[in-house]
Amino acid sequence: MAETPSQARGDTPGHEGEETATVPATEGTATSTATDGDTADRGPGFGRRRTGTSADVLPDVEGEDDGAGPVWKRMAVERWGEGPLATTVGVLVLVLALGLGLFQIHIALLGGFDARQQRLIHLLFVLVLVLLVKPSLPGRAGRSIPALVFDTVLIGAAFVTSLYPIVYQQELASRAGAYTDLDWIMGLIAIVVLLEATRRTVGMVMVVMVAAFIFYAWVGPLIPGQFGHSGATIQRIATHSYLGDGVYGLTLGVVVTFVFVFILFGALLSKTGGGSFFVGLAYVLTGRMVGGPAKGAVLSSALMGSVSGSAIANVVSTGPFTIPLMKKVGYRRHDAAGVEAAASTGGQILPPIMGAGAFIMAERTGIPYADIVKVAIIPALMYFGVMFLFVDILARKYGIGVARDSDLPRMRAVMAAGWHFLAPLLLLIVLLLNYVPPTRAGLWACGALFLVAMLRAASRLGPRDILEVFVLAARNTMPVSVACAVAGIIVGMVGLTGLGLVLSDVLVTVFAGSLLLTLLMVAIASLIMGIGLPVTAAYVVLAVLAVPALQELGLAVIVAHMIVYWYSQDSNVTPPVAFAAFAAAGVANASPMRSGLSAWKFAKGLYLIPMLMAYSALMEVDGPITDLAVAVVSGCVALATAAIALEGHFLRPVAVGERIAFVVASLLIMIAPEWSALFGAALSLGVDSSWFVLAGSVLGGALIALQVIAHRRNRNTVPATADGTPTPVA
């Protein structure tokens, strides 16, 4: 996880036109001063870490050489500017981050607090950090004396409202349901402070959405029809959110119990150079293929995302290295940004460490996290498979070549530099698959990573580095914790008003039990929520509102939750708001909207694979192996035909008629049961859905085979030049 996506590192080509197909070989190349043949002139990022060890061959994706000082100082300076105040705030940030990390490790190892106390203390740390480092207003206004006074008041309010339920825990328990005026006033203040922290870290749209749910709970008697309800007073809303199943409910509890440990693991991996190793390994494996830099971006972002769980953090850490390499071999700026954003988004659906929503899913469904990992792995690999196909098609479509050999490291050099980082990751996978509780597995992995890092000079951490690990973990926790806490208010309002049951009934009734239409509606709802909600919050809200309807239509609980979880990822890559794509656009110096559209195209698996989850045996890993194999093979054909149809190109351009045939093949497989029902209703024919899967697979396979045959025939053609000399066709 990099600290900033700075373009001042010399990695970004300087004068590339938006539509330029090729870039001069000198652009974006960082020339190393090393004398070793494996480290010199490595291209963007490689050889930038000057440690005097084998690690110098790895790309510096973590920004270790930027010389910008400790991260806690940078956080304070960005907020308050240079000066004594920034120094003081920096020290406070360090102390708070260290306190938060040690508190989390303590409760993970020894416990000692009940669940609500853990959540109260955790959120107190986070709120104070947010109020210290996130400005209330932009520019100088956020650094003024009134802003300082305002922040001080909010910090005091956060302390009081967080400690009140701990100090008066027994009294509050004894008068549950008959709370005093002080109780609900404290609740109202806590909500206001949390909403202000949400505005600073997540955005104003989520604040408005939370306010809308609160308003809905308040004006219930005035709403006609099914969505009307008996209503709740401000006192009831405040106490339910503050002292009931709201802010400090299950959603925040998952962050405290599980997620923080894996955020700490990601921060430790970042600081030890493990992220650089995984990016280097990805480019060794894919860099010499057609469109290799883009395939390397896909693989490196998958590896990094699977252990970071954050698409935006993934973009800003790997993007400054992967995007310049893609641009250098000929990918257009917005396409390079789109590939990076789509690949980074996929990291949140790839085990062993998925996004925070996966842990919330485990808690809400009661399904062990190991079982969620088992059913998630195949769809995630299919997502990255279709991304590989997209970038390969793009490379062939625009005649993009391979990267220069001098821009890529050697396998032996990369493995020599970072093979030890594989051990903690393998340990984590083994522990999770053996049903070791995620928190304990994460702690073991952190311990193993720290141990192997300290055994080698290049990855060894000093005291300052260890402190920075805690600061990085705290910084990366802030938006997750705030989003989950404020999403708890929405969950509380849904439970208080019964909105979830009503909406589920409406969805099932309006669409007459059509699973396809319901899935489309859930996807649209996810897109709308993604405009203002981060991924985890969007998943939490959709899970409460949409999962009951999907279950009523016959989907298993894990399938329904996984579909909603996949749909909720689209806020990272779907315009008009595409957080990961916009971050990648900044690194690529590309148009944000064009980058968003490109990312949306490459991330089509987020919409297509949930269809396969709903209509095939893709999630039935414990079922008959033949059913699973058929689902995987036919699903891959469906995804490939959809990608080819969307791009209008494969090994050669696709004619209009072929393109339509590719679309038909994809649809026959993806929604085979819908075709079966349609034939049964229209023609009174009982055709089993497996026949449609077979027809789509045969059609898609035939179309792809024809492309391959035509490509080989053209490649073997040897036309003559004007002087009669045979010239092979590329």
Side-chain angles (χ1 to χ4, degrees), residues 170-263:
Q170 293 183 348
E171 291 86 341
L172 290 171
S174 65
R175 61 174 180 259
Y179 295 113
T180 65
D181 288 343
L182 182 59
D183 296 338
W184 74 261
I185 290 172
M186 284 289 182
L188 199 59
I189 295 172
I191 291 172
V192 170
V193 174
L194 179 58
L195 289 177
E196 172 60 14
T198 302
R199 184 185 69 84
R200 299 188 189 191
T201 55
V202 181
M204 191 64 193
V205 176
M206 188 161 187
V207 175
V208 173
M209 188 169 290
V210 173
F213 274 89
I214 293 174
F215 183 73
Y216 172 77
W218 183 48
V219 301
L222 303 179
I223 301 175
Q226 284 182 278
F227 289 96
H229 57 91
S230 58
T233 63
I234 294 297
Q235 292 87 337
R236 174 68 172 142
I237 291 171
T239 54
H240 185 76
S241 300
Y242 178 53
L243 300 172
D245 186 18
V247 174
Y248 304 104
L250 175 65
T251 308
L252 178 61
V254 171
V255 179
V256 178
T257 307
F258 302 121
V259 176
F260 183 87
V261 171
F262 291 98
I263 292 177

Side-chain angles (χ1 to χ4, degrees), residues 328-385:
K328 184 174 181 180
V329 298
Y331 284 94
R332 294 175 295 180
R333 293 181 178 187
H334 61 275
D335 282 333
V339 168
E340 176 60 38
S344 296
T345 297
Q348 293 197 96
I349 57 179
L350 180 65
I353 306 174
M354 302 160 70
F359 295 97
I360 296 174
M361 186 191 307
E363 285 296 291
R364 293 191 66 87
T365 61
I367 298 171
Y369 183 74
D371 289 342
I372 291 176
V373 166
K374 289 177 182 177
V375 300
I377 184 66
I378 293 176
L381 293 177
M382 292 172 69
Y383 174 88
F384 284 104

